[in-house]
């Protein structure tokens, strides 16, 4: 019966399930560097504010582009007046000297700019360069956040490794302390030997306490940077060695000059200001526009019947 239940397959699968399940749960409850980066970019208020500035820059482009389209304006007038005695001697429709006067008017006008001294073109181009500068500034903020999170992440990892090293040293010193105490009890060691090993243990314990206090400060800064209070413990770092081949120093300098977002941001801001100044020079050029108007006027009342309106 036992051979039927606990066959070879069961003996292999059951231990694997028992061993692998806790490992999967631990991996899910540990914070990796990529997860920390994702949380930081999602919760960073400076990035959210920069995204609002990018939206405003997009709106500015749309506002400047409105000058390409014709503008439509309209106005209306509705007036009524009753006179018990009309102030002017005009022929009335009735023998009664009282009069009612009404005026209805609707006016429509369309205006299209044909040439504005390249003002619209330059203003739109300047707004687009400002948008580029805002997007580059967003990438600068992202890089700063990623670097700060990475530094704190590895500082916490280094702190934990130091604590583990000191804890192992304390365990070794405890074993040495027991051995020296046994030698002292058998009169094979001096009191100075016991004092020396106790001082070493105390010194390492003090160093461990300092590292634990530093870890609390690092964790506070890490939570503040991620803007998240409930964080799982950090995942363990891999100790595998990775072969890295470095290029020459001059190649890294050229790459930094070409792709640094700070330099691109300054270049975009400068270009936007130059184009904006060209747009302001449009006042020195003649402006050409076309307009079209349409008016409807209707008069009503006793004063205008037959004599004026027919």
């Amino acid at each position: 019966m036992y051979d039927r239940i606990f066959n070879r397959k069961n003996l292999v699968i059951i231990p694997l399930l028992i061993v692998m399940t806790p490992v999967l749960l631990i991996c899910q409850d540990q914070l990796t560097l990529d997860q920390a980066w994702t949380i930081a970019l999602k919760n960073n208020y400076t990035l959210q504010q920069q995204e609002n500035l990018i939206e405003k820059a997009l709106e500015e482009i749309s506002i400047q582009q409105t000058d390409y389209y014709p503008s439509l304006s309209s106005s209306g007038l509705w007036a009524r007046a009753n006179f018990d005695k009309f102030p002017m001697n005009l022929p009335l429709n009735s023998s009664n000297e009282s009069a009612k006067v009404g005026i209805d008017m609707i006016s429509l006008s369309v205006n299209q700019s044909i040439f504005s001294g390249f003002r619209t073109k330059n203003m739109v181009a300047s707004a687009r360069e400002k948008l580029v500068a805002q997007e580059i500034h967003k990438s600068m903020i992202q890089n700063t956040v990623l670097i700060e999170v990475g530094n704190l992440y590895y500082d916490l990892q280094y702190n934990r490794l130091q604590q583990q090293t000191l804890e192992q040293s304390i365990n070794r010193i405890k074993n040495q302390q027991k051995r020296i105490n046994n030698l002292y009890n058998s009169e094979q060691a001096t009191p100075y030997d016991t004092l020396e090993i106790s001082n070493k243990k105390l010194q390492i314990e003090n160093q461990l306490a300092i590292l634990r206090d530093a870890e609390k400060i690092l964790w506070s800064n890490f939570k503040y940077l991620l803007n998240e209070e409930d964080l799982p413990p950090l995942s363990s770092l891999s100790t595998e060695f990775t072969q890295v081949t470095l290029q020459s120093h001059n190649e890294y300098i050229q790459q930094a000059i070409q792709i640094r977002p700070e330099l691109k941001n300054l270049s975009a801001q400068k270009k936007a200001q130059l184009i904006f100044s060209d747009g302001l020079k449009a006042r020195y050029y003649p402006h050409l526009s076309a307009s079209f108007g349409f008016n409807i006027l209707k008069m009503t009342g006793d004063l205008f019947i037959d004599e004026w309106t027919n």
Side-chain angles (χ1 to χ4, degrees), residues 25-40:
L25 293 176
I26 291 174
C27 293
Q28 292 176 356
D29 293 337
Q30 291 181 346
L31 183 65
T32 62
L33 181 57
D34 292 336
Q35 293 173 347
W37 278 339
T38 302
I39 295 172

Side-chain angles (χ1 to χ4, degrees), residues 199-217:
N199 290 336
K200 288 182 179 180
K201 178 184 175 183
L202 180 61
Q203 182 180 5
I204 295 176
E205 288 176 347
N206 291 335
Q207 293 177 357
L208 182 60
I210 293 173
L211 287 175
R212 288 173 178 172
D213 293 337
E215 182 184 15
K216 294 178 181 179
I217 297 174

Side-chain angles (χ1 to χ4, degrees), residues 40-145:
L41 295 177
K42 179 182 178 181
N43 297 338
N44 189 268
Y45 290 141
T46 306
L47 273 176
Q48 295 175 6
Q49 183 180 6
Q50 186 62 28
E51 290 175 355
N52 293 332
L53 293 177
I54 292 175
E55 293 179 359
K56 290 182 179 179
L58 289 171
E59 293 175 358
E60 181 66 21
I61 295 176
S62 300
I63 292 172
Q64 296 297 338
Q65 287 177 340
T66 55
D67 292 338
Y68 286 127
Y69 306 103
S71 60
L72 176 65
S73 61
S74 63
S75 61
L77 175 64
W78 185 87
R80 295 292 184 272
N82 295 326
F83 296 97
D84 294 335
K85 184 177 181 180
F86 197 74
M88 299 176 63
N89 294 324
L90 295 174
L92 300 177
N93 190 40
S94 63
S95 60
N96 190 358
E97 294 183 353
S98 64
K100 296 180 181 179
V101 179
I103 298 176
D104 299 331
M105 185 179 67
I106 298 176
S107 176
L108 297 174
S109 63
V110 179
N111 188 12
Q112 174 64 57
S113 176
I114 299 176
F115 178 73
S116 60
F118 307 106
R119 180 185 182 279
T120 303
K121 177 182 177 182
N122 290 326
M123 289 301 177
V124 172
S126 176
R128 286 175 176 170
E129 287 299 324
K130 290 179 181 178
L131 173 62
V132 173
Q134 294 292 351
E135 291 176 344
I136 294 174
H137 188 64
K138 178 183 176 181
S139 65
M140 292 168 53
I141 297 174
Q142 288 178 341
N143 292 339
T144 302
V145 172

Side-chain angles (χ1 to χ4, degrees), residues 241-275:
F241 177 75
T242 302
Q243 184 70 29
V244 178
T245 303
L246 297 178
Q247 300 177 2
S248 64
H249 183 257
N250 292 330
E251 291 182 359
Y252 287 115
I253 293 177
Q254 293 298 326
Q255 291 179 7
I257 294 174
Q258 293 175 1
I259 66 177
R260 287 298 298 175
E262 293 85 356
L263 297 177
K264 290 184 178 180
N265 185 30
L266 291 175
S267 178
Q269 291 182 2
K270 180 180 178 181
K271 188 176 181 180
Q273 291 297 327
L274 291 174
I275 298 175

